[in-house]
Amino acid sequence: MSYDLKALEFDKILSDVSRYTHWSKTKDYILNLTPITNLEELNIMQEEEREAYNAIVKYDDLPLLELDNIDDVLKRIEIGGVITSPELLSFISLLNTTSNVKRYATYLRNNKIKTDNLDKYFDKISFNQRLKNDLSYKVDEQGNIKDNASEGLAKARRALSQLNNRLHSKFNELLQTKSSMLTEGLVASRGGHLCLPYKIEYKNQVKGLLLDVSSSGTTVYIEPIECQMIEAEIENAKADERREVEDILKEISLSINSCMEEMTSNIEGLLSLDIIYTKALYQKANDYNLPKLNDMGILNLVNAKHPLIDKDKVVAQTISLGDKYMVMIITGPNTGGKTVVLKTCGLLTLMSLCGIAIPASDTSMVSTFDNIFVDIGDEQSIEQSLSTFSSHMTKIKRICDNVTPSSLCLVDEIGSGTDPKEGSSLAISIIDYLYKRGARVIVTTHYSDLKEYAYSNQDIVNASVEFDPETYKPTYRLLIGVPGKSNAISIAKSLGINDVIINEAVKINAGDNDEATNLMSNLDEENEKLLKMQKDYENLLNDYNKKMVDLELYKKKIESERLQILKKASAEADDIINDAKESSEKLIQEIDAYKKDKEAKEHELADIKFAARNLKSKGYEENVFDEDLKVGDFVYIKSYDRTGQITSINKNKYEVQVGQFTMSFSKKDLKLTKPPVDNSKKYKKPQGSTPAKYAKLELDLRGYRYEEVKDAIDIFIDKAFMANMSIVYIIHGFGTGAVRNAVQAYLKKSPYVKSWRYGGEGEGLNGVTVVTLK
């Protein structure tokens, strides 16, 4: 396999991708990426990147900490080496990273963020809590061994601390007792030793080690003998401390070594995830896409852009090869963008075969290739004394000697650098050779003969980079099916060349054209007309699509406004209902006040209150259920929270069979529902049950006196229970609460009552008690 990576500047792409890595090891891996030809492996790689991209967008990036050189640390420990204090921080970072990544994976799974292809890497990672606890006990946040890591270390550090205190005390004592002999009242340091600045005349009177003399010669720096003795003890204590620390580091190294397989698996899993997430971050940062892959030699790069050209200047291209055409011959003027097309095709193919997203539409297709051969630019070798043509032919020879059916060949200015006639003949022969060996080929040229060659073979297509005849400047757009022109005469005229010269050039050029050339020119003109028609059609289609989008937005706006109006109307309706309720409450309060002052029958006042509770605002009706109801339909009765079946309909009155009873309802009280499940077999009718026709669904106690309530409820509950009724309603009104209290006192003691509650909306609120029987 051969890939001309340097000629396509692939190293610059890898350098850009590597900026998104978390580890230096991952960066090294990315910088050395090479294309993969196994289609299955590439598809899996893409799925992994898609899942990582999705996780980043929906949640966050992979929580990796810096782990440089951790591999070297583990390798040394594995062969019996001892970890150092600075390296402890790297290892603790590894443990923290495994913990963070495990939590990250759990979050993704719990929130149903797809990780099917990433799970094999997440599953490689485990968090060793025992080891983390051991290190936390022995090592501080700076990677230093703690005093309490062992009894020996604690003892050594206590002794060292005491000796340092003795030394400082001794120096402070000498500063006071020898102050007259000192040039300054401070402790100095020379050569790593603490000392005192004595006057020169006391040089021979002080016992100690002479460390230095001031530049003026007036001061000598001496470490007193008393301090020297303490310093010696300190050095011994430091040696004891180092031995204790080394013993602890050996213990830690042995603990790490005992779980080396686990740590190695962690490194492998984290490295794999870092590689995948690096590519996903690169894709997200640049808004690139992953193309569809195939192994049939088909390339279809839609709206593709060269990734190394300024985003504000680069022109999108659509490049197709390998489906309808095996070979593309691009013609046109210099600086028109022909070479950019070659590089874009080659570079985006390389990126795709390395699992890197590309600056092209997600509908793009890229094939695997065993070889990507590139001959772009001069690059002649001075050392080898090769001319432009010789350098060119050397590369062509390598391509022809190694070409396979699974090769992509990109050749710039094929056959150039020699006599045009010979160069043109050689170019056609080279293209024909590569084509017959099944390769996919894109070449650029200025030779007109190659245009004729392309017209003679249905597997070869002419293409060109667009040239604006009005501005005499290239647009850099690739036009497939249309051969290019050099436009040399037009460009010369635009630059102000004398008209006499221009006119003569036109005549000479016209005279040189033979019949075939004129025929080809006419064909080119027809192609250009067809291309213009296609472009006009695409513009019309884009306008149509834009209008459809605008229309859809307008529809959504209208729908939003409609919903706002309905919401406002509903709010107004609620206000009307609330006003009605407030009026009814006020009326009840007035009645209660009246009752205190005037004599009135209890049941008359209860009837007034009942009517007031059901006040409705003038002109307001609840929303009517707009679904058609017919005889035989099962309906849900909102006010009774029960299901029944319609037996007859008379205008807006619906007779509904509820259990053993038939009741009349308005349409607004009903809602179409499914037939109820027959559970009758689950219940046994009590022996000696009363016929259902004597049982009632509700008992109205309004107007009853307190002492009359118990007997009435007794009879009502007995009949309901014997009729197998599950829910009944007792109306007691609001009033003073005496009847309500009597009802509730009875229900608490009744053996037939399972539970009870106040009525809800549409059930009478606190004026009704809803009873559930056993």
Side-chain angles (χ1 to χ4, degrees):
M1 292 189 293
S2 176
Y3 300 97
D4 291 337
L5 307 180
K6 184 178 179 182
L8 294 170
E9 300 179 288
F10 188 54
D11 57 320
K12 293 182 180 179
I13 296 297
L14 296 182
S15 178
D16 194 19
V17 176
S18 70
R19 294 191 299 109
Y20 297 92
T21 60
H22 298 82
W23 295 355
S24 58
K25 186 173 181 179
T26 311
K27 185 173 184 176
D28 292 339
Y29 180 91
I30 293 293
L31 291 174
N32 290 284
L33 278 178
T34 54
I36 296 171
T37 57
N38 185 293
L39 184 60
E40 183 179 359
E41 187 178 347
L42 280 169
N43 281 324
I44 292 172
M45 192 182 292
Q46 282 199 348
E47 286 304 312
E48 291 170 352
E49 186 176 334
R50 286 191 180 97
E51 289 181 0
Y53 181 91
N54 192 39
I56 292 169
V57 171
K58 291 185 177 180
Y59 180 40
D60 201 356
D61 184 17
L62 194 69
L64 293 181
L65 300 174
E66 184 61 49
L67 296 176
D68 284 345
N69 303 320
I70 190 65
D71 276 349
D72 296 336
V73 175
L74 293 177
K75 286 177 183 176
R76 196 174 69 255
I77 292 174
E78 191 173 16
I79 61 175
V82 178
I83 195 169
T84 65
S85 292
E87 291 170 345
L88 281 173
L89 286 179
S90 293
F91 188 77
I92 291 171
S93 291
L94 173 61
L95 294 178
N96 290 336
T97 296
T98 59
S99 175
N100 294 341
V101 171
K102 292 299 287 183
R103 285 198 299 269
Y104 178 87
T106 300
Y107 178 91
L108 296 182
R109 290 163 182 163
N110 290 345
N111 288 274
K112 294 180 171 51
I113 299 175
K114 190 172 180 289
T115 58
D116 295 350
N117 292 280
L118 296 178
D119 282 343
K120 57 180 174 287
Y121 305 116
F122 285 129
D123 292 342
K124 274 190 170 187
I125 300 165
S126 60
F127 174 56
N128 194 316
Q129 185 67 59
R130 178 192 60 77
L131 192 54
K132 177 63 190 302
N133 291 342
D134 186 43
L135 289 176
S136 298
Y137 178 76
K138 295 177 179 178
V139 184
D140 64 19
E141 295 178 355
Q142 286 73 42
N144 300 313
I145 302 298
K146 293 180 179 178
D147 294 352
N148 60 352
S150 73
E151 291 184 9
L153 181 61
K155 182 179 178 181
R157 286 185 175 169
R158 279 197 303 272
L160 184 59
S161 176
Q162 291 170 358
L163 287 170
N164 281 321
N165 290 335
R166 276 180 57 197
L167 181 63
H168 292 149
S169 298
K170 177 54 69 175
F171 271 110
N172 288 330
E173 178 187 334
L174 292 173
L175 284 174
Q176 293 179 6
T177 59
K178 307 293 184 181
S179 59
S180 60
M181 302 170 64
L182 303 176
T183 55
E184 291 181 273
L186 52 80
V187 178
S189 177
R190 291 292 186 273
H193 291 264
L194 297 177
C195 54
L196 295 175
Y198 286 93
K199 297 174 183 178
I200 188 67
E201 56 266 30
Y202 297 110
K203 174 183 175 181
N204 297 320
Q205 297 181 28
V206 178
K207 292 182 180 181
L209 179 63
L210 178 63
L211 298 174
D212 196 8
V213 180
S214 67
S215 56
S216 63
T218 60
T219 302
V220 289
Y221 294 91
I222 299 174
E223 181 182 13
I225 192 169
E226 307 99 303
C227 298
Q228 276 184 273
M229 295 171 64
I230 300 174
E231 282 278 12
E233 293 183 59
I234 289 175
E235 288 304 317
N236 290 332
K238 285 182 178 180
D240 292 340
E241 179 195 25
R242 282 193 296 271
R243 281 191 293 272
E244 291 294 334
V245 168
E246 286 174 3
D247 289 342
I248 294 168
L249 291 175
K250 286 178 183 177
E251 290 178 10
I252 292 173
S253 299
L254 289 172
S255 296
I256 295 173
N257 203 2
S258 67
C259 54
M260 186 59 67
E261 186 177 343
E262 177 187 351
M263 294 301 113
T264 302
S265 177
N266 284 337
I267 293 293
E268 290 174 355
L270 293 171
L271 177 62
S272 298
L273 287 170
D274 194 18
I275 292 168
I276 296 166
Y277 272 76
T278 291
K279 295 177 183 178
L281 288 169
Y282 175 77
Q283 177 186 357
K284 182 176 180 293
N286 294 282
D287 196 23
Y288 288 173
N289 294 297
L290 291 169
K292 296 177 175 63
L293 300 169
N294 68 87
D295 56 4
M296 299 178 291
I298 298 174
L299 277 174
N300 185 32
L301 300 173
V302 181
N303 294 325
K305 297 179 180 180
H306 195 292
L308 298 178
I309 298 177
D310 190 329
K311 292 181 180 180
D312 297 329
K313 296 179 181 179
V314 67
V315 176
Q317 310 283 2
T318 295
I319 307 168
S320 297
L321 189 71
D323 186 12
K324 296 180 180 179
Y325 313 106
M326 300 282 285
V327 179
M328 182 186 296
I329 299 175
I330 307 174
T331 51
N334 288 328
T335 69
K338 301 190 300 297
T339 306
V340 171
V341 172
L342 289 182
K343 288 189 173 182
T344 300
C345 182
L347 192 53
L348 268 55
T349 300
L350 285 175
M351 292 171 68
S352 301
L353 299 188
C354 289
I356 300 172
I358 61 174
S361 169
D362 59 0
T363 59
S364 298
M365 293 181 66
V366 174
S367 175
T368 57
F369 290 104
D370 292 338
N371 305 288
I372 299 179
F373 297 114
V374 180
D375 178 14
I376 295 176
D378 185 1
E379 299 180 12
Q380 58 181 305
S381 173
I382 297 175
E383 290 79 9
Q384 297 178 16
S385 301
L386 298 177
S387 67
T388 300
F389 179 73
S390 298
S391 174
H392 180 49
M393 285 299 106
T394 300
K395 294 175 184 176
I396 292 297
K397 179 184 184 303
R398 184 177 70 89
I399 294 173
C400 292
D401 288 348
N402 297 282
V403 70
T404 65
S406 184
S407 294
L408 175 63
C409 304
L410 306 172
V411 183
D412 192 25
E413 300 295 350
I414 189 168
S416 63
T418 188
D419 176 74
K421 183 65 177 174
E422 290 186 14
S424 178
S425 301
L426 190 57
I428 291 172
S429 179
I430 293 167
I431 293 172
D432 196 59
Y433 180 88
L434 298 175
Y435 160 66
K436 287 179 178 178
R437 275 149 186 78
R440 306 306 189 265
V441 183
I442 303 179
V443 301
T444 69
T445 183
H446 285 288
Y447 296 145
S448 297
D449 290 349
L450 269 66
K451 302 177 191 178
E452 299 177 34
Y453 169 68
Y455 278 124
S456 67
N457 192 321
Q458 63 180 4
D459 285 335
I460 302 176
V461 65
N462 274 312
S464 61
V465 283
E466 191 177 44
F467 185 83
D468 191 333
E470 296 180 3
T471 62
Y472 297 104
K473 292 181 179 180
T475 64
Y476 303 105
R477 288 182 63 244
L478 180 67
L479 305 177
I480 297 177
V482 179
K485 301 175 182 177
S486 68
N487 295 294
I489 296 175
S490 298
I491 294 172
K493 183 177 180 180
S494 71
L495 295 173
I497 299 297
N498 192 292
D499 287 344
V500 174
I501 298 173
I502 297 298
N503 293 334
E504 185 65 21
V506 171
K507 290 178 184 178
I508 294 170
N509 186 54
D512 288 342
N513 292 340
D514 56 18
E515 185 177 348
T517 304
N518 291 329
L519 182 62
M520 223 172 58
S521 180
N522 292 333
L523 186 59
D524 291 346
E525 290 177 6
E526 290 299 320
N527 277 337
E528 288 181 10
K529 289 179 182 179
L530 287 173
L531 190 65
K532 186 178 183 305
M533 290 174 63
Q534 181 182 353
K535 190 175 180 181
D536 291 342
Y537 169 76
E538 289 174 354
N539 291 336
L540 287 172
L541 186 62
N542 289 336
D543 289 342
Y544 169 78
N545 289 335
K546 185 177 181 301
K547 288 178 180 177
M548 290 301 293
V549 170
D550 292 341
L551 180 61
E552 189 64 27
L553 291 174
Y554 180 72
K555 284 171 64 179
K556 288 181 179 179
K557 180 183 177 185
I558 294 298
E559 178 65 15
S560 176
E561 291 176 352
R562 185 183 75 83
L563 293 174
Q564 289 294 328
I565 291 171
L566 289 175
K567 186 177 180 181
K568 183 179 179 183
S570 176
E572 291 176 353
D574 288 342
D575 291 341
I576 293 172
I577 294 173
N578 291 332
D579 290 344
K581 287 181 178 179
E582 288 178 8
S583 298
S584 66
E585 292 292 344
K586 186 176 180 182
L587 180 59
I588 290 171
Q589 291 174 6
E590 291 176 356
I591 292 171
D592 286 339
Y594 175 79
K595 178 183 173 183
K596 292 178 181 178
D597 298 334
K598 305 288 182 179
E599 289 186 2
K601 291 182 179 179
E602 184 72 23
H603 69 276
E604 292 175 347
L605 292 174
D607 287 341
I608 295 172
K609 292 179 182 179
F610 181 78
R613 288 290 181 192
N614 291 278
L615 279 177
K616 288 188 178 180
S617 177
K618 186 178 180 181
Y620 172 76
E621 291 185 359
E622 292 184 21
N623 291 334
V624 177
F625 184 68
D626 60 1
E627 191 164 0
D628 291 334
L629 299 175
K630 59 184 181 295
V631 174
D633 284 346
F634 284 90
V635 291
Y636 171 70
I637 307 163
K638 302 173 188 176
S639 56
Y640 286 90
D641 190 27
R642 290 175 66 87
T643 299
Q645 188 175 23
I646 298 175
T647 57
S648 65
I649 303 173
N650 184 14
K651 294 183 179 180
N652 196 35
K653 292 296 181 182
Y654 293 77
E655 298 295 323
V656 181
Q657 183 78 24
V658 184
Q660 302 292 332
F661 304 97
T662 299
M663 292 179 281
S664 181
F665 297 95
S666 297
K667 188 176 183 180
K668 62 183 175 57
D669 295 324
L670 308 175
K671 182 177 180 180
L672 188 64
T673 188
K674 295 180 180 178
V677 179
D678 184 10
N679 293 320
S680 59
K681 295 179 180 179
K682 296 181 181 179
Y683 302 98
K684 272 192 173 182
K685 189 172 181 179
Q687 295 295 325
S689 61
T690 304
K693 66 180 181 180
Y694 295 111
K696 294 183 179 180
L697 187 62
E698 63 182 39
L699 171 64
D700 192 346
L701 296 177
R702 290 175 296 181
Y704 277 63
R705 298 187 181 279
Y706 183 89
E707 58 273 13
E708 299 171 344
V709 169
K710 183 178 181 302
D711 292 336
I713 299 178
D714 247 339
I715 296 170
F716 172 69
I717 292 293
D718 283 347
K719 289 181 178 180
F721 183 79
M722 299 301 286
N724 285 335
M725 296 177 69
S726 58
I727 296 177
V728 293
Y729 298 80
I730 300 175
I731 304 170
H732 43 68
F734 295 84
T736 60
V739 175
R740 181 182 67 238
N741 293 337
V743 169
Q744 293 176 1
Y746 175 87
L747 294 177
K748 288 178 182 178
K749 298 177 180 179
S750 174
Y752 305 112
V753 175
K754 182 178 181 181
S755 63
W756 54 269
R757 61 176 174 82
Y758 286 125
E761 281 291 338
E763 293 181 334
L765 302 175
N766 291 358
V768 174
T769 295
V770 182
V771 183
T772 302
L773 301 176
K774 294 182 178 178

